[in-house]
């Protein structure tokens, strides 16, 4: 007998019962029977450790894992050669679970994307095993380059999500507890070059216009700006070129600035302020500014769907996971390209703990947790949580309606192109 779920807002989700218990048990058993194979998939991808857009062996491994079990797989769709799509069932509703498999340069799987991939594959296979009884369709989408290229935005622009009604995925984390929904930060980069005039630094400095002075002034201006932005926002700056000879006035210097904000409007406002700092640095040094905004598409904040997050929370609690529904800015504020989908379609992006020890992401130590016994257990639990959430969505039209209402109440479909417009120069 299913109990009535309590919505995070405090409202009862009246009449939502989800998938029948018998189907839920069968889905769970299918995933648990795959535990050893999913561990091998996770560890194999961890050992390959390919960076974004270059995940050719990783996606091939995942594709063969699915083909061996009888599922047709398409690799390289939507203009990205390391994308993946597999599907079971037919027609609507159609729910997708997302896999990531890219690693970090020099760090490997220090963000645990091997766990994400294995859990997504397990969830897909679990739901696919009962899709005839559930109705509708389940899709597995492999999304390249979360770390360095916003693969999900590129896939969305190519139409990969046009037929998808809801999206689920998870992310490994460390610590005592997990969250069924969290707040992430929007993020965008701007590549900056200052063009000056070269001159002999000793005999004719008056003839030069120092591009290094400009980039240093920009760096200092951004450092000063940090004092006057919301506590949740972030600014990072790296000088990547400051000249090549100490006795020559640098005619070219460059930097990269990264901007993060808790909401899209905040990102736009902070981006414009950074643009003004850069223009000021050029003006005060007599140099010419050149900017390239968004060398890859900007990431938007995740908008978690309350109805779907509530179902996931219940299923993970039943697995004995220490999970909370509170919306948290996990880890002080990180960013993911799932945010770009969450303003297009109802989505969730919960966390699953792979170690009770708090370990920063993007480190070798975090990557070691991603192939630990706790990491392997998180794959199975996470796959079950995602699969049962998808099964509930497919089986229960009231859940689908509540997810739609929650999505619309949070702002509905947003104009992503407008949100990602670069700031204007003066």
């Amino acid at each position: 007998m299913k109990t009535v779920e309590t919505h995070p807002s405090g409202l009862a989700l009246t009449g939502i019962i989800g998938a029948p218990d018998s189907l839920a048990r069968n889905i769970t058993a299918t995933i648990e029977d795959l535990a050893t194979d999913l561990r091998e998939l996770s560890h194999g991808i961890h050992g390959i450790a390919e960076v974004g857009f270059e995940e050719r062996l990783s996606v091939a491994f995942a594709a063969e894992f699915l083909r061996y079990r009888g599922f047709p797989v398409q690799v390289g769709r939507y203009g990205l050669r390391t994308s993946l799509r597999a599907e079971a069932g037919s027609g609507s509703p159609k729910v997708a679970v997302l896999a990531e498999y890219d690693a970090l340069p020099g760090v490997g799987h220090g963000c645990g994307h091997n766990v994400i991939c294995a859990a997504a594959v397990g969830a897909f296979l679990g739901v696919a095993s009962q899709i005839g009884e559930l109705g509708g369709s389940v899709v597995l989408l492999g999304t390249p380059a979360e770390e360095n290229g916003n693969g999900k935005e590129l896939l969305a622009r190519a139409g990969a999500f046009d037929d998808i009604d809801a999206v689920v995925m998870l992310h490994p984390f460390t610590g005592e507890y997990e969250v069924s929904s969290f707040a992430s930060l929007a993020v965008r980069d701007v590549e900056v070059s200052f063009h000056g005039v070269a001159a002999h630094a000793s005999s004719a400095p008056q003839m030069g216009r120092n591009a290094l002075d400009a980039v240093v002034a920009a760096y200092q201006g951004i450092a000063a700006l940090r004092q006057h932005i919301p506590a949740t926002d972030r600014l990072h700056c790296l000088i990547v070129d400051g000249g090549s000879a100490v006795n020559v006035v640098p005619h070219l210097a460059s930097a990269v600035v990264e901007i993060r904000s808790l909401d899209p409007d905040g990102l736009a406002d902070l981006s414009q302020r950074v643009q003004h700092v850069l223009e000021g640095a050029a003006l005060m040094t007599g140099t010419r500014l050149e900017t390239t905004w968004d060398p890859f598409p900007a990431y938007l904040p995740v908008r978690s769907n309350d109805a779907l997050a509530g179902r996931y929370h219940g299923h993970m609690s039943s697995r004995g996971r220490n999970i909370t529904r509170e919306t948290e800015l996990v880890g002080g504020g990180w960013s993911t390209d799932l945010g770009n989908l969450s303003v297009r379609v109802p989505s969730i992006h919960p966390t699953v703990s792979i170690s009770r020890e708090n370990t920063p992401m993007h480190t070798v130590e975090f990557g070691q947790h991603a192939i630990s016994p706790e990491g392997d257990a998180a794959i199975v639990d996470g796959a079950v949580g995602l699969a049962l959430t998808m099964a509930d969505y497919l089986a229960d039209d009231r859940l689908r309606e509540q997810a739609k209402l929650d999505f619309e109440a949070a702002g509905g479909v947003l104009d992503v192109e407008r949100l990602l417009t670069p700031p204007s120069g003066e």
Side-chain angles (χ1 to χ4, degrees):
M1 189 72 175
K2 304 271 188 188
T3 58
V4 174
E5 290 284 345
T6 301
H7 195 276
S9 66
L11 300 175
L13 299 181
T14 307
I16 292 178
I17 59 174
D21 288 334
S22 59
L23 295 186
R25 286 194 297 270
N26 290 341
I27 289 170
T28 299
T30 296
I31 294 170
E32 290 178 342
D33 288 345
L34 287 167
T36 298
D37 294 341
L38 293 173
R39 181 187 68 215
E40 291 179 357
L41 175 62
S42 171
H43 288 220
I45 289 174
H46 187 280
I48 296 170
E50 297 168 302
V51 299
F53 298 121
E54 300 297 331
E55 316 101 318
R56 283 169 283 188
L57 293 177
S58 300
V59 74
F61 192 179
E64 285 306 309
F65 190 96
L66 292 161
R67 291 187 183 118
Y68 178 77
R69 290 159 179 81
F71 292 93
V73 181
Q74 297 173 314
V75 173
R77 286 192 64 183
Y78 311 110
L80 298 181
R81 64 182 178 181
T82 55
S83 67
L84 176 151
R85 181 168 177 138
E87 188 167 347
S90 63
S92 297
K94 187 173 290 190
V95 61
V97 58
L98 307 189
E100 297 171 2
Y101 27 74
D102 59 317
L104 293 155
V107 179
H109 276 288
C111 207
H113 290 189
N114 57 300
V115 171
I116 297 175
C117 181
V121 169
F124 170 79
L125 292 173
V127 177
S129 72
Q130 303 297 312
I131 196 66
E133 298 295 325
L134 289 166
S137 310
V138 60
V139 177
L140 172 68
L141 280 168
T143 60
E146 187 274 338
E147 295 289 356
N148 68 323
N150 200 340
K152 295 181 186 61
E153 174 65 25
L154 298 177
L155 289 173
R157 293 178 183 180
F161 298 92
D162 288 354
D163 62 342
I164 303 298
D165 298 304
V167 165
V168 304
M169 68 172 295
L170 56 70
H171 201 292
F173 206 65
T174 60
E176 295 289 329
Y177 70 98
E178 304 165 2
V179 296
S180 56
S181 59
F182 70 94
S184 71
L185 298 180
V187 61
R188 77 189 320 170
D189 286 4
V190 54
E191 296 175 348
V192 181
S193 295
F194 291 95
H195 299 266
V197 178
H200 194 288
S202 179
S203 66
Q206 73 279 6
M207 302 296 293
R209 296 294 181 268
N210 196 315
L212 177 59
D213 284 348
V215 82
V216 169
Y219 186 97
Q220 291 173 329
I222 289 166
L225 181 57
R226 288 193 185 105
Q227 303 176 65
H228 306 289
I229 63 177
T232 52
D233 291 3
R234 299 288 187 269
L235 285 171
H236 323 293
C237 184
L238 177 68
I239 298 174
V240 295
D241 183 11
S244 57
V246 70
N247 60 345
V248 177
V249 174
H251 73 284
L252 177 67
S254 56
V256 177
V257 183
E258 192 162 77
I259 302 155
R260 299 181 193 254
S261 186
L262 191 56
D263 64 79
D265 289 336
L267 182 69
D269 177 70
L270 188 53
S271 297
Q272 191 64 64
R273 295 172 73 184
V274 166
Q275 177 72 22
H276 290 160
V277 168
L278 301 175
E279 291 168 354
L283 182 64
M284 66 188 291
T285 56
T287 56
R288 178 175 61 85
L289 171 66
E290 182 180 353
T291 59
T292 300
W293 283 90
D294 305 326
F296 52 85
Y299 294 45
L300 295 175
V302 171
R303 180 208 284 169
S304 185
N305 186 270
D306 285 342
L308 296 177
R311 300 304 295 186
Y312 178 86
H313 175 272
H315 295 309
M316 292 299 273
S317 294
S318 296
R319 300 287 296 182
R321 289 275 167 173
N322 185 17
I323 185 167
T324 176
R325 290 189 188 179
E326 296 298 321
T327 299
E328 300 243 350
L329 193 61
V330 176
W334 45 291
S335 306
T336 172
D337 56 4
L338 190 276
N340 296 53
L341 303 185
S342 69
V343 297
R344 288 177 163 104
V345 64
S347 307
I348 58 170
H349 193 294
T351 65
V352 62
S353 181
I354 58 174
S355 173
R356 294 172 67 87
E357 173 189 340
N358 283 299
T359 303
M361 290 191 297
H362 290 201
T363 62
V364 172
E365 292 75 18
F366 190 96
Q368 291 170 344
H369 290 309
I371 51 171
S372 69
E374 286 180 269
D376 298 337
I379 292 169
V380 175
D381 286 346
V384 170
L386 293 176
L388 296 184
T389 301
M390 289 191 290
D392 288 343
Y393 183 84
L394 293 173
D396 194 326
D397 57 355
R398 296 199 180 202
L399 175 58
R400 295 195 296 273
E401 180 62 22
Q402 186 63 64
K404 179 180 178 181
L405 291 173
D406 287 347
F407 180 74
E408 291 174 349
V413 177
L414 298 185
D415 184 348
V416 176
E417 184 176 350
R418 180 191 64 81
L419 293 172
L420 302 186
T421 300
S424 58
E426 293 298 327

